Amino acid sequence: MKIISVNNLSFSYDGEHPAIKDVSFDVEEGSYVAIIGHNGSGKSTLAKILMGLLNGYEGEVKLFDTVLSNQSITALRKRIGIVFQNPDNQFVGSTVADDIAFGLENHEVPHEEMEGIIHQYASEVGMIDFLDHEPESLSGGQKQRVAIAGVLAMKPDLVIFDEATAMLDPKGKREIADIILKMKQENPKLTILSITHDVEEANRADEVLVLNDGQLFLSGKPSEVFAHGKELREIQLDSPFLAMLIEALKKQGIDVPQGINDVEKLEEYLCR
Amino acid sequence: MPITFSNVFYTYNPKTPLENAALNGVDLTIEDGSFTAIVGRTGSGKSTMVQMINALLSPSQGEVVVNEFINAADKKKRTKKLYKVRGQVGLVFQFPEYQLFADTVEKDVAFAPKNFGLKEEEALEEAHKALREVGLDESFDKRSPFELSGGEKRRVAIAGILAFHPNILVVDEPTAGLDPRGAFQMMELFEKVHKAGTTVILVTHDMNIVLRYADRVLVVDNGKIVRSSDPETLFFEDIEKYSLETPLLYSFVKGLSKRGFPLDPGKIHDVDSLAAEIAAKKGDKR
């Protein structure tokens, strides 16, 4: 089943300069798709359209096989969880437990059930020891983990990460990337869309879409997309470490076979 | 003259229940014209150290010498008018864009040189030079700093420091919150300033930046310098114990060596040299 289906989408803020130009793609249930592109590439605009925050576009957007519209958005939003960029802007509780409980309270989950749910998701994101901590005592990465727990507690079918790691230091970035993979393992039907600057995170997705100048520039499996190192550099995007090393090895006459899609496999291959 | 810290201690809120020892005997020397990275976990004492370099804080014990200025715990030894060190040390705080205040970009940047004694026109001239240096053209001069993008604001704030030509530039997490392209441009700017002869001290969490730009790295842990080395050597050690991330390049080399494929660390500093070294070792095996 297609969770997201975007067909010939175009959008302009001022009616003159297009921010999105004729973009089409599908996201299948249970897949993890990363959208990369530098500032001004159109990825934030695309994210806003998918979240139902921008109207007046051309083309069609379907979420869960339902056409996105002012009428359908309220029902659709119940199935979508969003993790935003700034960890400080989405922490609403006075403690970690309160923060995770916030969404549950809004959905009138009985109090008896709430505690168990809070524990379950706090442990899933590795924050179980912090339940009574206040937000001031947490790092940016920890706050984002709490935000993820709050989102997961609502049992969404689709989680959108809107540059959720952009404000974190490298350690925080890795923590979040690890949790995304763990979320997938624990719930294979969960669909994840991550709009990100972090090519190392994108390298671990099932599929990568590269936006440039409002258009879809490249798409495919990470190993396919990042094999286009030269084209990516032309639009000032880096490749992940793995792809850069494979390219450098090729220059040295070592051809790494396709299918080597993580660092450990490459280590193994080289040691043969 | 180099920067030296001799047995420096610093305690926040001494003799109160909030007493907190931030520095516990720091000794270090930073050579003129070097590019030094200071790394360590949050709360390790990095920012406290940096604030002593331009005398925002004075040691509780020991002394910090910067050029001809002595910032000592002992007030008798301390240089008179110590604040003048700030004309030689430019300190760029985290998120400097929050410190903009003037109604035009040029006035904001001209503030410091004016403050350090230049006439209005001279200060504006320095401001324009600094703005061009950070890559903002004439069209920015008369605009309000508050209507600029985040990356542009940060450039204005940095121009405000460069405009008074400090011979030491201290930058605290300058790439935080920037996209990779913005971060790259920012670091290239500091590299340019460094090449022009300025001593650059960089506080960062990003080890890839350390690897690419710094010639020396100081690891701070628990208010002490626990390691001082060149980045290449440091990253071959176990740095996770200081809560530092090993750059992917080095975790790969370590991974290979665990599998019985050791490489010569001295020859590796980027992806290309790593590939060349792997090819050479593979050649030996054959």
Side-chain angles (χ1 to χ4, degrees):
Chain A
M1 181 191 162
K2 285 175 190 160
I3 298 297
I4 301 174
S5 176
V6 171
N7 297 303
N8 307 106
L9 182 70
S10 294
F11 177 81
S12 171
Y13 286 96
D14 56 7
E16 231 175 282
H17 310 90
I20 300 278
K21 275 183 262 182
D22 198 22
V23 168
S24 302
F25 66 91
D26 294 324
V27 175
E28 294 290 332
E29 181 173 31
S31 65
Y32 168 16
V33 175
I35 300 183
I36 61 171
H38 56 68
N39 286 350
S41 63
K43 64 187 193 315
S44 302
T45 304
L46 178 61
K48 281 188 191 134
I49 291 173
L50 292 176
M51 293 177 227
L53 301 174
L54 272 182
N55 285 322
Y57 48 81
E58 284 169 38
E60 185 187 62
V61 177
K62 279 184 176 175
L63 298 172
F64 309 104
D65 259 343
T66 304
V67 176
L68 182 65
S69 69
N70 286 339
Q71 285 73 43
S72 63
I73 185 68
T74 315
L76 290 173
R77 275 210 185 109
K78 291 195 175 127
R79 305 178 65 180
I80 305 174
I82 304 173
V83 182
F84 291 100
Q85 182 180 117
N86 191 331
D88 293 315
N89 290 354
Q90 49 190 327
F91 208 109
V92 290
S94 57
T95 65
V96 167
D98 281 356
D99 197 71
I100 301 173
F102 179 78
L104 298 170
E105 280 169 353
N106 282 345
H107 281 64
E108 294 169 5
V109 172
H111 201 266
E112 311 80 73
E113 291 173 31
M114 226 185 259
E115 200 160 329
I117 297 175
I118 291 170
H119 274 84
Q120 182 191 341
Y121 291 103
S123 25
E124 200 155 304
V125 300
M127 291 297 289
I128 192 74
D129 296 332
F130 295 85
L131 282 180
D132 56 357
H133 281 235
E134 294 165 6
E136 296 82 65
S137 67
L138 305 178
S139 69
Q142 288 173 326
K143 282 181 206 164
Q144 288 300 63
R145 279 148 69 183
V146 175
I148 293 171
V151 160
L152 292 181
M154 309 308 298
K155 299 204 167 63
D157 297 310
L158 166 67
V159 177
I160 300 177
F161 289 86
D162 185 11
E163 300 197 33
T165 65
M167 299 185 74
L168 305 181
D169 64 22
K171 193 176 177 195
K173 283 188 169 69
R174 199 189 59 183
E175 285 170 7
I176 302 304
D178 287 346
I179 284 174
I180 293 177
L181 286 188
K182 194 166 159 235
M183 278 162 60
K184 268 201 62 181
Q185 281 161 5
E186 278 170 25
N187 185 356
K189 284 191 129 179
L190 182 66
T191 307
I192 296 169
L193 181 72
S194 178
I195 292 119
T196 182
H197 283 314
D198 184 356
V199 289
E200 298 301 339
E201 186 217 313
N203 195 38
R204 295 157 82 177
D206 300 321
E207 205 187 330
V208 181
L209 307 176
V210 183
L211 278 184
N212 185 49
D213 225 358
Q215 287 173 308
L216 204 53
F217 184 75
L218 283 171
S219 69
K221 284 183 192 154
S223 55
E224 295 162 3
V225 167
F226 291 122
H228 296 271
K230 193 165 156 271
E231 288 91 331
L232 290 171
R233 276 192 295 278
E234 274 164 15
I235 61 164
Q236 291 178 298
L237 281 177
D238 277 336
S239 295
F241 171 72
L242 180 71
M244 286 200 284
L245 183 54
I246 289 175
E247 198 186 323
L249 285 168
K250 196 169 184 181
K251 274 189 225 152
Q252 298 287 342
I254 300 176
D255 271 316
V256 177
Q258 282 190 347
I260 291 196
N261 54 7
D262 70 39
V263 168
E264 292 197 350
K265 282 188 197 145
L266 180 58
E267 283 176 8
E268 221 168 84
Y269 171 76
L270 290 174
C271 291
R272 249 182 250 157
Chain B
M1 278 167 63
I3 299 166
T4 56
F5 279 56
S6 311
N7 198 28
V8 172
F9 286 76
Y10 189 79
T11 305
Y12 285 99
N13 307 306
K15 294 170 192 151
T16 73
L18 294 172
E19 186 173 283
N20 174 20
L23 299 184
N24 297 307
V26 171
D27 285 293
L28 64 88
T29 307
I30 293 173
E31 297 297 339
D32 279 344
S34 63
F35 197 128
T36 304
I38 302 181
V39 303
R41 70 186 93 216
T42 309
S44 58
K46 306 187 293 286
S47 294
T48 307
M49 277 173 49
V50 156
Q51 288 179 54
M52 285 188 176
I53 298 176
N54 79 342
L56 286 174
L57 295 174
S58 283
S60 312
Q61 197 185 315
E63 64 177 40
V64 176
V65 180
V66 179
N67 296 339
E68 68 273 26
F69 295 90
I70 301 169
N71 183 7
D74 182 350
K75 284 189 183 149
K76 280 180 231 145
K77 281 171 99 182
R78 213 180 279 173
T79 306
K80 303 281 177 284
K81 297 190 179 167
L82 181 60
Y83 63 85
K84 288 199 166 167
V85 71
R86 289 173 209 152
Q88 300 183 9
V89 180
L91 176 57
V92 183
F93 285 101
Q94 251 187 73
F95 297 104
E97 54 271 29
Y98 294 149
Q99 298 165 44
L100 300 174
F101 63 94
D103 57 353
T104 66
V105 164
E106 59 180 13
K107 277 193 212 165
D108 205 297
V109 177
F111 178 78
K114 223 168 108 186
N115 215 15
F116 287 120
L118 288 193
K119 291 202 193 93
E120 180 89 35
E121 305 88 81
E122 293 169 337
L124 279 175
E125 200 176 305
E126 290 302 331
H128 294 150
K129 269 194 237 159
L131 283 165
R132 301 303 94 82
E133 202 174 339
V134 299
L136 297 174
D137 63 28
E138 291 82 4
S139 68
F140 285 90
D141 292 352
K142 308 268 186 225
R143 286 172 69 183
S144 161
F146 302 102
E147 63 182 34
L148 306 180
S149 77
E152 289 163 351
K153 279 185 193 169
R154 194 169 296 187
R155 282 164 186 277
V156 172
I158 290 165
I161 300 284
L162 298 181
F164 66 88
H165 304 294
N167 53 35
I168 298 167
L169 181 67
V170 186
V171 281
D172 193 352
E173 292 283 355
T175 59
L178 296 181
D179 73 330
R181 184 166 61 163
F184 174 73
Q185 288 167 347
M186 189 62 63
M187 287 313 302
E188 289 296 308
L189 169 64
F190 296 133
E191 175 71 4
K192 197 169 91 185
V193 171
H194 172 239
K195 288 226 167 97
T198 310
T199 306
V200 177
I201 301 169
L202 166 77
V203 177
T204 185
H205 282 109
D206 191 332
M207 297 308 132
N208 288 311
I209 285 182
V210 173
L211 184 62
R212 188 158 180 170
Y213 295 98
D215 44 45
R216 213 160 72 99
V217 52
L218 303 173
V219 182
V220 189
D221 198 35
N222 244 323
K224 274 188 169 164
I225 306 287
V226 289
R227 286 288 287 118
S228 160
S229 117
D230 58 281
E232 287 84 356
T233 310
L234 179 74
F235 293 140
F236 272 103
E237 296 169 11
D238 170 26
I239 56 169
E240 319 268 319
K241 65 182 173 196
Y242 306 125
S243 205
L244 302 175
E245 290 270 297
T246 304
L248 290 168
L249 183 70
Y250 289 88
S251 45
F252 188 78
V253 175
K254 285 180 189 173
L256 279 183
S257 121
K258 264 188 215 147
R259 290 173 195 266
F261 194 103
L263 298 170
D264 182 354
K267 291 187 179 159
I268 297 164
H269 49 272
D270 59 17
V271 172
D272 288 320
S273 51
L274 170 59
E277 186 59 13
I278 292 171
K281 277 276 152 62
K282 280 246 173 204
D284 291 350
K285 271 190 180 173
R286 273 185 214 126

